[in-house]
Amino acid sequence: MRQPRRRPQPAWLALIALAVAALLGGSLLAPAAVAGGRGDGDHHSVTQESPIGVQAKDMKGWAAAQRSGDAERRAEKGTKKRAGKLLPRLTRAIGPKARNAPAAPEPGQAKTLVLYDNAGPFGHLGELYAMGVANLGGRFGTVTAKPVQNYAPGELETFDATVYVGSTYYGEDIPDAVPQDLYLDILLSERPVIWMGENIWNMANSISLQEFEYKYGWDPTSSFYETGGSVGDITKVEYRGQTLTRKIPAGQDPGVLHPAISTGADAPPVTELATAVDTAGATETTFPWAIRSANLTYLGEIPFTFVSETDRIIAFQDLLFDALAPATAEQHRALVRLEDISPMSNATQLRSIADYLKSQNIQYGINVIPVYTDPKGVQNNGVARTVRLAQRPALVNTLKYMLANGAVLMDHGYTHQYGNLDNPYNGLSASDFEFFRAHVDANDFVVYDGPVAEDSSTWAQGRITSALNEFAAVGLPKPKLWTTPHYAASATDYKVFAQNFDARLERSLYFSGTLTGAPVDSSRYLGQFFPYPVTDVYGTKVLPENIGSYEPLASNNNPPRLAEDLIKSAKANLAVRDGFASFYYHPTHPVAPLKEIVEGFTALGYTFVNPESLL
């Protein structure tokens, strides 16, 4: 996955600083080689993104296990018939709610059940994927997440919708952990169920293929990830008029299930919701990526790996509306924030950008670092230097001018760097991580190493308090919004941020152990961004940043990201019926690219809104 690129420096430093990093946002990864995604953000990389993608060794092994299980199941097919285990129980009393289509929940009041696998050598991935679903579910109401084996009979009827994340391939080596009661409850219910990934064939075998096909109109037992001996090269997903990307490194693609849809005259209708496009051959071939019949929506893969701003995850983000808020009206809003403003920022540049945004009646966020420090003298001929807002009255006056003309103040850390260490670059404010350790490896990738040595609630609160005191000392208001420097902090830190701010506007990290209550494993986490405001698994409101930033120079294995790239990402996100296009911009860049982006978003139909209006 791409790595966090360092944030832009003054022009004279930019040439020296090409080798700095960023990561991407929305998948899983561990602090080692990061795979599948672009880097974390204000590191100012391609998009300020936290790691998104799965650790390379995990993804390769997990993908191989899925392909192997698929091959075994194909070999088994036809050699032995599995009798339906639950068919004799179909007369079980089920109550009126299971027979009648349930009423849609009130807006913001939906209750979602997320079930996930945790068995097998890659069982830890299940919790990470489940956190991704749970965070998105926080857009619609409350979410309960637990291992699938803990499902209680009839529980499905107490939720507005259920999502099962099938990440462990149950077969000969790993016994099926999905309770038979869940299979039966899904069959008998009218409540929406979203099933992604593996084991749908086990449901058909348990309740009997005849019953499954009679209700759902397709045969999972004859549906496989491979066709013609290969999973192909599925590079695109078509959804709601948009072409979404799917970029999986060679050897790490588990494939997308090809559903065997029944063709008989009496077969119930199956709706193709999204289409997978295989470009492996001379001619593109297509097949359903997501289908719906009766109460069951099925996705042929788990779309939380190797995610980008134009990725097929967008289709899943929108499909949740069908289950949890079907009456949602179509609207498309945009957010912009100005990034990495510090006591060393150029007040003239800031005012010119502020005047342009005011001329367009655009309200926006300003991410301010209250204390600039250069402990190694990188920008001061080797002499250490620290500058506070109070020492820059003209800059403070400009910030107040911005606040009076459409801006809202946001806190972007205390110093946006860590002590006098390279973390990972040079110890300079706005270049380095503040709440997480990182280094750049021999291949010019940024590697996440984990929380800082002294990480604790007390330590994190001390930095927040110091930052807020700096704002107060120059007469600036207390910020309501927070953006974590380089989008990386510990689970402990995120909880402290929640105690001090109404919301975060960012991409974030979600660590193994968060759902289970086990000790947090900082080496296993999900990096995620959102297309709409959510309440995440930390219990905090998170505002979207799903488009990234304008970055004219390549760095840390991230290519340049120009205005046209941000506009393309915004176009792809039109597939989310009530979605945002949220980006950030460094005021060290000229006004012209910002103007191009704003005009491009507006032409697509986006309306810019005040970030604080979403609180």
Side-chain angles (χ1 to χ4, degrees):
M1 125 180 351
R2 290 185 209 165
Q3 305 299 322
R5 24 170 115 212
R6 85 193 304 165
R7 63 185 69 249
Q9 303 298 335
W12 63 272
L13 266 181
L15 296 177
I16 306 174
L18 269 187
V20 256
L23 245 73
L24 220 137
S27 298
L28 317 176
L29 110 137
V34 240
R38 176 174 30 261
D40 151 39
D42 54 335
H43 341 161
H44 288 15
S45 82
V46 153
T47 70
Q48 174 160 344
E49 307 140 18
S50 53
I52 39 176
V54 187
Q55 185 179 12
K57 66 180 182 181
D58 278 349
M59 274 315 298
K60 189 172 290 186
W62 179 68
Q66 178 165 296
R67 294 193 300 267
S68 175
D70 201 48
E72 290 179 9
R73 184 168 62 89
R74 184 191 295 273
E76 237 178 40
K77 177 74 175 172
T79 63
K80 63 180 181 182
K81 301 274 187 181
R82 299 190 183 187
K85 302 172 185 175
L86 298 180
L87 190 57
R89 301 176 57 207
L90 291 179
T91 57
R92 186 178 77 176
I94 55 176
K97 287 188 178 178
R99 288 299 187 193
N100 300 320
E106 292 295 319
Q109 301 300 311
K111 295 189 299 181
T112 306
L113 175 64
V114 178
L115 302 170
Y116 61 93
D117 298 322
N118 61 1
F122 305 104
H124 62 277
L125 294 178
E127 182 191 10
L128 298 176
Y129 292 132
M131 282 193 287
V133 177
N135 287 333
L136 292 169
R139 153 65 175 81
F140 304 94
T142 59
V143 181
T144 299
K146 62 182 182 178
V148 69
Q149 64 267 25
N150 295 339
Y151 175 80
E155 192 174 12
L156 186 147
E157 294 301 323
T158 66
F159 289 88
D160 295 297
T162 296
V163 181
Y164 168 58
V165 186
S167 62
T168 296
Y169 203 116
Y170 297 123
E172 300 300 327
D173 297 330
I174 306 175
D176 191 357
V178 180
Q180 294 182 10
D181 281 301
L182 176 59
Y183 293 144
L184 183 58
D185 287 346
I186 293 173
L187 179 73
L188 297 178
S189 182
E190 298 298 328
R191 292 190 179 274
V193 174
I194 299 175
W195 188 307
M196 59 175 71
E198 299 164 2
N199 306 317
I200 188 69
W201 45 86
N202 288 341
M203 175 177 170
N205 283 323
S206 284
I207 64 174
S208 87
L209 178 57
Q210 178 186 13
E211 290 292 337
F212 189 99
E213 282 194 286
Y214 185 81
K215 181 170 183 178
Y216 298 116
W218 61 290
D219 176 5
T221 70
S222 298
S223 303
F224 301 97
Y225 292 99
E226 292 189 359
T227 59
S230 168
V231 297
D233 189 13
I234 301 154
T235 60
K236 295 181 286 188
V237 172
E238 304 286 348
Y239 179 72
R240 294 195 75 213
Q242 300 299 328
T243 298
L244 309 177
T245 55
R246 183 181 185 272
K247 298 179 180 179
I248 312 294
Q252 298 187 51
D253 191 350
V256 176
L257 194 76
H258 294 64
I261 297 175
S262 306
T263 57
D266 296 331
V270 177
T271 301
E272 182 172 338
L273 303 171
T275 302
V277 182
D278 189 343
T279 58
T283 303
E284 291 184 351
T285 58
T286 63
F287 64 94
W289 184 84
I291 57 176
R292 179 177 299 138
S293 51
N295 65 320
L296 180 65
T297 298
Y298 177 76
L299 278 64
E301 66 169 329
I302 302 170
F304 283 95
T305 56
F306 305 101
V307 174
S308 74
E309 294 84 355
T310 59
D311 189 77
R312 84 283 196 203
I313 186 69
I314 292 170
F316 175 63
Q317 292 166 346
D318 181 72
L319 285 169
L320 287 171
F321 284 94
D322 290 347
L324 296 166
T328 301
E330 188 94 12
Q331 66 172 329
H332 302 286
R333 289 170 282 179
L335 295 173
V336 58
R337 71 175 194 257
L338 301 182
E339 194 75 353
D340 291 341
I341 299 171
S342 81
M344 294 298 286
S345 292
N346 185 303
T348 302
Q349 289 177 313
L350 287 175
R351 190 170 289 251
S352 65
I353 290 180
D355 287 341
Y356 165 69
L357 292 172
K358 177 178 172 56
S359 75
Q360 302 301 303
N361 296 314
I362 292 175
Q363 296 181 302
Y364 57 98
I366 51 174
N367 246 346
V368 179
I369 306 161
V371 174
Y372 164 93
T373 187
D374 181 4
K376 298 184 177 184
V378 173
Q379 293 183 329
N380 194 38
N381 298 316
V383 179
R385 176 169 59 181
T386 295
V387 183
R388 303 177 183 278
L389 285 174
Q391 297 170 273
R392 290 289 187 266
L395 174 66
V396 172
N397 185 59
T398 297
L399 295 179
K400 292 178 179 178
Y401 171 82
M402 298 169 82
L403 294 177
N405 288 277
V408 296
L409 184 64
M410 301 171 57
D411 188 355
H412 196 29
Y414 176 41
T415 62
H416 201 316
Q417 55 82 240
Y418 177 64
N420 60 359
L421 302 178
D422 293 344
N423 192 38
Y425 306 120
N426 52 22
L428 188 67
S429 284
S431 286
D432 279 12
F433 292 73
E434 182 172 355
F435 293 87
F436 218 70
R437 295 287 280 126
H439 71 276
V440 180
D441 69 12
N443 295 315
D444 198 29
F445 283 98
V446 173
V447 179
Y448 283 41
D449 298 318
V452 300
E454 65 270 52
D455 186 58
S456 68
S457 297
T458 301
W459 176 82
Q461 183 60 58
R463 299 195 73 80
I464 299 289
T465 300
S466 296
L468 296 179
N469 287 342
E470 295 289 336
F471 290 129
V474 294
L476 291 173
K478 181 181 183 296
K480 296 179 181 179
L481 295 170
W482 164 270
T483 299
T484 306
H486 285 351
Y487 290 166
S490 71
T492 296
D493 300 335
Y494 284 118
K495 293 173 184 175
V496 172
F497 304 154
Q499 294 166 4
N500 289 272
F501 302 94
D502 292 350
R504 306 193 310 272
L505 197 169
E506 63 177 19
R507 307 178 179 198
S508 305
L509 302 180
Y510 300 96
F511 297 90
S512 177
T514 299
L515 294 183
T516 64
V520 169
D521 184 347
S522 62
S523 72
R524 290 174 171 164
Y525 49 90
L526 165 75
Q528 191 172 16
F529 56 78
F530 308 107
Y532 34 63
V534 306
T535 299
D536 68 5
V537 294
Y538 297 135
T540 307
K541 189 162 195 172
V542 184
L543 306 187
E545 188 281 274
N546 59 331
I547 303 298
S549 70
Y550 170 79
E551 301 290 347
L553 299 176
S555 77
N556 290 121
N557 297 289
N558 290 293
R561 190 164 168 81
L562 305 179
E564 63 189 44
D565 297 308
L566 274 68
I567 294 168
K568 287 178 182 177
S569 295
K571 183 177 184 299
N573 277 274
L574 289 173
V576 180
R577 69 197 69 179
D578 185 15
F580 285 73
S582 177
F583 74 103
Y584 62 95
Y585 194 82
H586 291 92
T588 51
H589 297 310
V591 175
L594 176 61
K595 183 174 184 289
E596 184 180 352
I597 296 166
V598 167
E599 291 178 351
F601 283 25
T602 302
L604 289 171
Y606 285 97
T607 300
F608 282 88
V609 297
N610 184 337
E612 288 189 356
S613 70
L614 305 176
L615 297 178

